[in-house]
């Protein structure tokens, strides 16, 4: 079995606000899968997408309660190419309606920092070099 694409679906209160937030971070929108009820943010072209669905629309896909942004429903981790990119993404996120929810952490081989988007979804941004993992 080989997975070709990943689509993460998350509820949002305001689709336009989500669009503005994620494009400010430098991501593009796949307009083919976007409208007033949802936007499709391209995290990695041809592979990883996040669908931000208006809460009412999101609820049509599940019969379970939807988290309200005050509870942790999932932790999303994204890898970038450098420590500078980690810092830049978190800085841009917090300047555009997001909030920092942890201090930067340097594990030697991996550096990470995290933000919550305007709807409370938590994003861990990290850069790592597996060749630097200490051997036992």
């Amino acid at each position: 079995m080989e997975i070709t694409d990943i689509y993460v679906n998350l509820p949002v209160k305001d689709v336009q606000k989500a669009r503005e937030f994620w494009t400010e971070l430098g991501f593009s929108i796949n307009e083919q899968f976007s409208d007033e009820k949802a936007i499709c943010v391209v995290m990695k072209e041809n592979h990883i997408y996040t669908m931000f669905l208006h809460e009412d629309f999101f609820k049509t896909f599940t019969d379970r309660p939807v988290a309200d942004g005050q509870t942790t429903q999932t932790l999303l981790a994204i890898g970038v190419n450098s420590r500078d990119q980690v810092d830049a993404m978190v800085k841009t996120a917090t300047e555009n309606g997001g909030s920092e929810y942890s201090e930067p952490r340097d594990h030697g081989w991996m550096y990470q920092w995290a933000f919550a988007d305007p709807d409370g979804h938590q994003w861990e941004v990290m850069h790592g070099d597996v060749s630097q993992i200490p051997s036992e």
Side-chain angles (χ1 to χ4, degrees):
M1 168 84 58
E2 180 180 333
I3 295 173
T4 59
D5 306 341
I6 295 175
Y7 289 84
V8 176
N9 295 274
L10 297 170
V12 297
K13 293 179 183 357
D14 184 329
V15 172
Q16 184 59 34
K17 185 174 181 180
R19 175 187 286 271
E20 292 166 5
F21 180 81
W22 288 99
T23 55
E24 192 64 37
L25 284 174
F27 293 92
S28 64
I29 307 298
N30 181 330
E31 296 297 347
Q32 183 178 8
F33 298 112
S34 302
D35 57 24
E36 69 281 348
K37 297 182 293 189
I39 60 164
C40 178
V41 175
V42 180
M43 302 303 244
K44 181 163 177 72
E45 189 69 47
N46 298 319
H47 296 289
I48 304 169
Y49 305 89
T50 302
M51 296 294 302
F52 293 96
L53 311 173
H54 188 274
E55 287 176 339
D56 293 336
F57 186 48
F58 185 90
K59 290 175 184 177
T60 67
F61 294 95
T62 182
D63 60 357
R64 301 170 95 187
V66 176
D68 63 3
Q70 300 301 310
T71 59
T72 301
Q73 56 196 357
T74 186
L75 294 174
L76 303 154
I78 51 179
V80 295
N81 291 319
S82 71
R83 291 172 60 111
D84 289 342
Q85 287 181 353
V86 171
D87 292 344
M89 182 174 283
V90 174
K91 183 176 185 275
T92 302
T94 59
E95 290 172 349
N96 288 282
S99 60
E100 179 183 332
Y101 78 86
S102 75
E103 294 293 320
R105 296 182 196 126
D106 190 341
H107 302 281
W109 68 275
M110 181 177 68
Y111 175 71
Q112 68 188 87
W113 196 4
F115 68 89
D117 67 24
D119 286 280
H121 306 296
Q122 296 171 295
W123 296 85
E124 298 273 344
V125 186
M126 63 186 170
H127 169 69
D129 180 351
V130 295
S131 71
Q132 299 299 311
I133 296 175
S135 58
E136 311 251 5

